Amino acid sequence: MDSDNKPTSQGSSVGSLLSTVMQEISSLVRNEAMLAKTEMSEKTHQAMEGIAAIAIAGAVLLGGFLTLLAATVFLLNEVLPPDTTPWLSALIVGAVVTLIGIIMLKAGLKKLEARSLMPDRTMHSLQSDKALAEKHQDNVKEEMK
């Protein structure tokens, strides 16, 4: 009778162990999905900020370009006369605005780098979960022997 109770006891403990493992795996998958969703939301917000910075930089660059065009017009109008103050001041202003636009554009592009949009925390967590699952799998195999 004692030998009859062992398989039943062992069978129920393996069954409860498998049930617990399945519940933990389900919970883990849900938590990982929530983490991925949260992190992707953060990355989307970061991408939107980068896109906004690029759009603003484009507007500034357009203003700089138009100012440079105005400076060119002043230059062409003033080629013959020795007084060059109007076109030179417009050229300096246009160059400064264009330089500011280039700096803003580079900052926006940096925010959109693929490396910075990767869900790093989720990837690290998934790797940890994989290692933990492999460890538990080995433990279950040893208990089944």
Side-chain angles (χ1 to χ4, degrees):
M1 207 173 213
D2 206 26
S3 64
D4 290 339
N5 287 339
K6 278 194 173 186
T8 307
S9 169
Q10 186 179 13
S12 65
S13 67
V14 169
S16 66
L17 177 65
L18 289 177
S19 174
T20 303
V21 168
M22 292 305 292
Q23 289 172 352
E24 288 180 8
I25 288 173
S26 296
S27 175
L28 181 64
V29 169
R30 278 193 302 273
N31 291 341
E32 292 298 335
M34 288 187 337
L35 176 62
K37 181 180 176 183
T38 302
E39 193 167 5
M40 288 310 296
S41 175
E42 290 172 0
K43 298 298 181 175
T44 301
H45 181 70
Q46 181 183 359
M48 295 305 282
E49 286 177 349
I51 290 169
I54 290 172
I56 292 169
V60 171
L61 283 171
L62 178 61
F65 180 69
L66 293 174
T67 305
L68 288 173
L69 287 178
T72 305
V73 170
F74 281 126
L75 175 63
L76 291 175
N77 287 335
E78 301 289 330
V79 168
L80 295 175
D83 185 26
T84 58
T85 305
W87 68 264
L88 185 58
S89 61
L91 186 64
I92 291 170
V93 168
V96 168
V97 169
T98 301
L99 181 62
I100 291 170
I102 289 171
I103 291 169
M104 291 173 69
L105 179 64
K106 286 185 178 185
L109 289 174
K110 187 174 182 179
K111 288 183 180 181
L112 286 178
E113 287 180 357
R115 183 182 68 228
S116 68
L117 296 177
M118 196 69 178
D120 299 324
R121 293 179 302 200
T122 302
M123 296 301 290
H124 178 70
S125 179
L126 285 173
Q127 290 171 349
S128 298
D129 294 344
K130 179 182 175 187
L132 184 63
E134 288 172 350
K135 180 180 174 184
H136 281 277
Q137 182 180 11
D138 292 340
N139 290 343
V140 168
K141 284 181 182 178
E142 286 179 17
E143 285 184 19
M144 294 297 285
K145 289 181 182 181

